[in-house]
Amino acid sequence: MTENTAAEPVAADVRTVTPFVVRLDVRSYEIDPQLHVSGTILQQYADHSRFACVIAAGVSVPDLLGGGMGPVNLETTIRYHHELRGGETVDVSCGWVWGTGKTYKVVHELRLPDGTLVAEIVHVSGLLDLQQRRLVTDPAEQWRSRAAHPELLGL
């Protein structure tokens, strides 16, 4: 039996009907010498959106970790579309894509308030059994069983 890794595709591409969205202000210390936001900051925005979504879904991260599981990103892809600059505001969505394997996708779209697409960030993720150091077999069920509002996680 082989471990499902980032190189293997997620079986299905079913997205959350209405993705979770947070609005963030670009701060002056997040811009680079070209006066735009770098890719590492965009990833941090996506991480913030994902964490806020998990909390809004009612998942207790301390309980998840206390239960011996932790989320892991196995692969991250960024597609840049439009420059994001200091002083601007960006809406960061978080949509979950579930398949039947050990991995799932979390898809983020970063958009200006007028709808202009800034970037797309896609994570191939899994839930790691912290004791065995292996991905859990059914991550969707693990998330569903811990969420008060699983629909925010696309479940």
Side-chain angles (χ1 to χ4, degrees), residues 2-143:
T2 61
E3 193 75 8
N4 190 358
T5 66
E8 296 178 33
V10 174
D13 189 13
V14 179
R15 295 176 193 233
T16 306
V17 174
T18 304
F20 179 86
V21 177
V22 296
R23 178 166 280 182
L24 302 171
D25 293 325
V26 176
R27 296 161 292 206
S28 61
Y29 58 84
E30 296 173 330
I31 57 175
D32 64 15
Q34 288 80 22
L35 301 178
H36 63 246
V37 176
S38 70
T40 56
I41 299 299
L42 295 178
Q43 281 186 268
Q44 289 175 2
Y45 290 173
D47 291 344
H48 176 81
S49 172
R50 193 170 52 260
F51 187 75
C53 181
V54 166
I55 299 303
V59 176
S60 166
V61 175
D63 287 351
L64 180 68
L65 295 171
M69 282 180 266
V72 293
N73 288 333
L74 304 168
E75 176 182 297
T76 300
T77 305
I78 302 177
R79 288 198 176 103
Y80 300 94
H81 295 276
H82 188 279
E83 188 175 44
L84 181 61
R85 298 179 62 117
E88 292 185 311
T89 300
V90 64
D91 294 326
V92 185
S93 69
C94 181
W96 301 69
V97 181
W98 298 98
T100 57
K102 295 179 182 180
T103 62
Y104 53 93
K105 290 183 184 178
V106 184
V107 179
H108 303 277
E109 288 186 351
L110 291 79
R111 293 184 177 273
L112 296 176
D114 70 4
T116 301
L117 182 62
V118 171
E120 297 167 283
I121 300 176
V122 178
H123 297 289
V124 175
S125 301
L127 268 179
L128 186 67
D129 179 314
L130 298 173
Q131 207 165 47
Q132 295 182 11
R133 309 307 289 181
R134 299 243 184 258
L135 294 176
V136 300
T137 303
D138 189 354
E141 182 52 36
Q142 294 298 327
W143 283 110

